[in-house]
Amino acid sequence: MTDDQKNQLLNEAMNEHGDMIKRVIYSYVRDIPKAEDLTQDTFVKFFTTLDRFEGRSSLKTYLYRIAVNESINYLKSWHKQKVSLTDKLKKLGRRKSVESTYIQQEASSEIQQVLERIPIHYRETLWLHYYAELSVTETAEVLGCSPNTVKTRLARGRELMRKQLEVDGFEHKTAPE
Amino acid sequence: MNIKQLLNESMPHDLTFSEREKQQVRETVFAKTPATFIRILPLAAVLLVSLVGYLLYSSYSDSQPAEVTWHEEIIIPNTFETSLNRSVFVPANKEVIYSKEDGLYSFSPEIDQVEKLVSTQTPMAQYSFAVNENWLVWEDFVNEAYTLNVLNRQTGVTNVIVSFNPLGRLLLEGNQIFYFNSSEEKMLYETMNLNSGNIKTIHEQKDAQADSLREAIGDGKAVVVEKLEKLTTFYIYDTLSGDLVQKSQGTYPSIHNMYINNERVYMDFATDEGRLELAYLDIQTGTISTIETPEYSFSTVHGNHVALSVTEEWGAETDDVELFTLEGNTVKPLTTFPDVKDRLVTPQFFEDGILRMVEENYSDGGPTLHLVKP
């Protein structure tokens, strides 16, 4: 692949998917400057690995997969875990799931708090399918699991979301579409 | 309200990928692309640079290079990098334990066989399991309650402890786990004997204003680090007796990544900018020393071997694992480190000094697990 072709693909990817990639990354890290950094990292990695892209998936799912990997790697980083543990100790009165300790709350909304109580693998499936509007097959490719697993996670994720909304006194109905 | 609208409510409304950010990406990739004049450097110049590099490297390397005595490459079918990054090698069983969204698995390279050890209800177990040849312990969330699940791998019996939700990591050594158990009343570090179920308080954090920085277990010792204002205190206990065996105080940068090995507590000191410095606390004397290393982003030490995710320079966007031997308070490259095609990440030493690393691969056959015995 020539540099011109790679540049063209990069520009198309940034123009077409940039906003949504940044939003999906934000759904993991909940920190706007970090989401900005990781979005740029995602597109740089996308560009630098284009030569190795073998077309087993679409460029779109390839891009989302890099974004998810960048986000997960950041959440696993020692720096992030240290920040989260400090946050957690400041909020001892509110016990949360292990996954939620990876989330650094910045602009906290009630809906956001509901989402944080949903385990990350259900949450990310909801974001990719319902928010980024990836198909079940595309979501499966991005997350590296089977389409049936995605369907199961979507069903359980919707159910967990509904329960959490009820617990918090919301009247919203979580209709899939 | 549908799900997309609900999700959208939790999202900042003006979060877009701006033209400024796009331009920064273009500038970054342009900087990474070799300029034309470099590509056509005369061959002689390239050879000269290579020769100088080789000579410099040779002068830095030991004339009797240290050996890697064992190296195994493993590709576990249908398993992704996130699972391998958290995998554990159990030397006694020569197996790799790893987690997926639906459970915990064992892979035995010798017989090339995957075994599902347990099914889990939520993906939470992926982030919170500990394992050795006798025990597999994981957290889960079942029927609206947090559970601690303890599988005795010798008997196959699983004990489920309901409403158990420790903060931080589950740490396992021998027949006991070590964890931070905090309620609104007390903040306790405890051990639980997995045979008897007996819980022992090892350390109580008495000052609510203190930050509990890290905890680690190893060599029959447990270490707890607290920071109050600028003063950092290390408490080191004998996990069997519960006795405090060492206490050390000082003013240190923030601490990342801590582990006990060879009568030392190793840690990464980190500046506010995130720059790391490898350090250790001598458990016998309580003194802290630093080790001179290349710039790195992650460390693991076993005996006199050090594996670092080395960055080319401070702030570089990528890193790769390199192996060193510890000589005094400096490190020396291990010259026979296996040459692999792609970037290596998440180095971790396990018992017997086995080093596990994951070779990244986004599109070609999946990630590869490397096990190395220096």
Side-chain angles (χ1 to χ4, degrees):
Chain A
M1 194 178 292
T2 66
D3 284 352
D4 284 346
Q5 288 173 318
K6 286 166 67 177
N7 281 330
Q8 186 181 343
L9 283 174
L10 174 69
N11 283 322
E12 286 174 4
M14 287 197 297
N15 292 333
E16 192 170 339
H17 303 296
D19 289 351
M20 190 54 82
I21 287 286
K22 188 171 179 180
R23 286 168 168 256
V24 166
I25 288 173
Y26 178 83
S27 76
Y28 284 89
V29 302
R30 290 286 162 191
D31 179 296
I32 291 172
K34 182 46 67 180
E36 186 170 308
D37 289 346
L38 293 178
T39 305
Q40 291 185 25
D41 291 348
T42 295
F43 282 105
V44 169
K45 187 165 273 186
F46 174 78
F47 179 87
T48 54
T49 58
L50 269 175
D51 285 331
R52 286 156 45 191
F53 176 70
E54 293 186 336
R56 293 182 189 178
S57 61
S58 71
L59 274 173
K60 176 183 169 189
T61 55
Y62 183 58
L63 177 62
Y64 273 88
R65 190 160 173 180
I66 294 172
V68 169
N69 274 331
E70 290 289 309
S71 305
I72 295 285
N73 284 341
Y74 170 70
L75 294 179
K76 285 185 312 194
S77 68
W78 288 108
H79 171 71
K80 178 63 184 169
Q81 290 184 26
K82 191 262 173 187
V83 170
S84 299
L85 185 57
T86 305
D87 282 356
K88 186 164 52 177
L89 290 169
K90 289 174 182 169
K91 299 168 186 166
L92 278 174
R94 291 182 289 163
R95 304 292 292 272
K96 295 181 177 179
S97 69
V98 169
E99 287 81 9
S100 71
T101 65
Y102 289 96
I103 302 297
Q104 182 185 1
Q105 286 192 35
E106 190 176 80
S108 181
S109 69
E110 288 173 309
I111 296 287
Q112 187 174 313
Q113 288 176 25
V114 167
L115 290 171
E116 283 176 11
R117 288 198 291 273
I118 299 173
I120 192 167
H121 275 56
Y122 298 127
R123 195 168 61 227
E124 66 184 354
T125 312
L126 293 172
W127 277 104
L128 290 170
H129 181 67
Y130 290 119
Y131 191 77
E133 298 184 344
L134 300 187
S135 69
V136 168
T137 306
E138 287 174 329
T139 305
E141 281 178 14
V142 171
L143 296 178
C145 59
S146 72
N148 280 339
T149 301
V150 169
K151 289 176 189 170
T152 305
R153 286 189 197 170
L154 288 172
R156 288 185 184 169
R158 282 198 307 268
E159 181 63 14
L160 283 169
M161 199 169 169
R162 185 185 63 77
K163 283 183 179 173
Q164 293 292 349
L165 287 168
E166 285 174 1
V167 167
D168 282 38
F170 283 84
E171 293 180 353
H172 303 300
K173 287 188 167 62
T174 53
E177 303 300 335
Chain B
M1 184 178 289
N2 68 29
I3 291 181
K4 180 157 185 167
Q5 285 173 301
L6 278 170
L7 295 172
N8 200 35
E9 272 198 19
S10 73
M11 185 66 64
H13 296 302
D14 54 351
L15 195 65
T16 57
F17 191 51
S18 67
E19 194 52 46
R20 174 186 59 81
E21 293 168 79
K22 290 174 190 171
Q23 188 55 34
Q24 284 177 345
V25 171
R26 292 186 193 103
E27 287 170 6
T28 304
V29 299
F30 180 74
K32 281 172 178 283
T33 306
T36 307
F37 76 91
I38 290 179
R39 289 186 203 161
I40 58 172
L41 265 180
L43 182 61
V46 174
L47 289 173
L48 181 63
V49 170
S50 304
L51 181 62
V52 170
Y54 175 76
L55 291 173
L56 286 172
Y57 182 73
S58 297
S59 67
Y60 190 51
S61 303
D62 195 335
S63 58
Q64 296 292 322
E67 296 280 335
V68 168
T69 57
W70 177 67
H71 174 213
E72 184 132 4
E73 290 186 34
I74 301 165
I75 295 180
I76 303 176
N78 304 315
T79 305
F80 294 91
E81 193 182 325
T82 47
S83 293
L84 297 181
N85 286 341
R86 292 185 292 269
S87 62
V88 175
F89 181 69
V90 181
N93 297 346
K94 292 189 171 61
E95 61 177 350
V96 177
I97 307 291
Y98 60 98
S99 59
K100 294 173 87 166
E101 68 270 11
D102 63 341
L104 297 161
Y105 292 78
S106 164
F107 179 78
S108 300
E110 287 186 343
I111 54 174
D112 197 26
Q113 189 170 313
V114 172
E115 179 190 0
K116 187 172 189 180
L117 298 175
V118 294
S119 294
T120 53
Q121 297 294 310
T122 67
M124 155 181 200
Q126 290 185 80
Y127 303 96
S128 57
F129 74 93
V131 65
N132 62 21
E133 64 272 30
N134 294 318
W135 302 99
L136 175 59
V137 186
W138 71 99
E139 293 174 76
D140 213 339
F141 186 73
V142 180
N143 297 329
E144 308 289 321
Y146 293 100
T147 60
L148 181 75
N149 304 268
V150 181
L151 167 66
N152 183 325
R153 300 186 69 194
Q154 303 304 320
T155 64
V157 174
T158 300
N159 183 22
V160 180
I161 303 167
V162 180
S163 298
F164 185 93
N165 184 217
L167 294 162
R169 295 180 299 157
L170 275 179
L171 301 168
L172 171 68
E173 185 180 43
N175 293 320
Q176 61 184 355
I177 55 170
F178 180 55
Y179 52 89
F180 185 30
N181 193 12
S182 179
S183 67
E184 290 181 44
E185 295 80 34
K186 287 189 172 181
M187 294 184 281
L188 305 174
Y189 285 90
E190 298 174 333
T191 57
M192 179 192 289
N193 184 308
L194 297 175
N195 280 316
S196 64
N198 289 339
I199 292 174
K200 181 193 289 182
T201 297
I202 295 290
H203 176 83
E204 179 174 358
Q205 183 184 319
K206 291 182 176 162
D207 193 328
Q209 300 304 312
D211 271 342
S212 176
L213 292 183
R214 289 251 161 241
E215 65 278 348
I217 188 171
D219 295 350
K221 307 281 196 311
V223 58
V224 172
V225 186
E226 290 179 4
K227 188 169 190 177
L228 184 59
E229 295 176 351
K230 291 186 176 177
L231 190 63
T232 301
T233 308
F234 295 80
Y235 300 91
I236 298 157
Y237 296 89
D238 182 303
T239 50
L240 198 60
S241 66
D243 293 340
L244 181 70
V245 296
Q246 187 59 263
K247 181 180 174 182
S248 178
Q249 284 187 319
T251 304
Y252 304 111
S254 77
I255 295 168
H256 294 191
N257 188 23
M258 193 172 72
Y259 42 95
I260 300 175
N261 183 256
N262 208 17
E263 288 297 302
R264 290 176 172 182
V265 179
Y266 285 97
M267 68 204 93
D268 296 326
F269 283 152
T271 64
D272 290 341
E273 297 80 32
R275 198 168 198 154
L276 300 184
E277 184 174 33
L278 186 59
Y280 65 88
L281 184 154
D282 186 310
I283 292 178
Q284 295 298 320
T285 64
T287 56
I288 287 187
S289 308
T290 56
I291 298 170
E292 191 179 339
T293 67
E295 293 284 353
Y296 71 96
S297 61
F298 194 85
S299 76
T300 179
V301 180
H302 188 279
N304 69 334
H305 290 112
V306 180
L308 301 173
S309 289
V310 174
T311 56
E312 285 185 6
E313 58 185 14
W314 162 237
E317 291 179 352
T318 189
D319 53 39
D320 204 353
V321 178
E322 294 179 23
L323 192 55
F324 302 84
T325 52
L326 191 56
E327 295 189 1
N329 285 338
T330 61
V331 295
K332 196 167 192 178
L334 196 76
T335 53
T336 57
F337 192 57
D339 187 24
V340 297
K341 181 180 162 193
D342 286 311
R343 177 190 178 214
L344 292 166
V345 296
T346 59
Q348 184 70 56
F349 274 113
F350 293 98
E351 289 175 49
D352 294 357
I354 302 286
L355 175 66
R356 180 223 62 204
M357 299 166 288
V358 179
E359 182 184 358
E360 278 188 341
N361 194 327
Y362 283 97
S363 56
D364 183 20
T368 306
L369 202 65
H370 290 265
L371 298 173
V372 170
K373 173 83 165 130

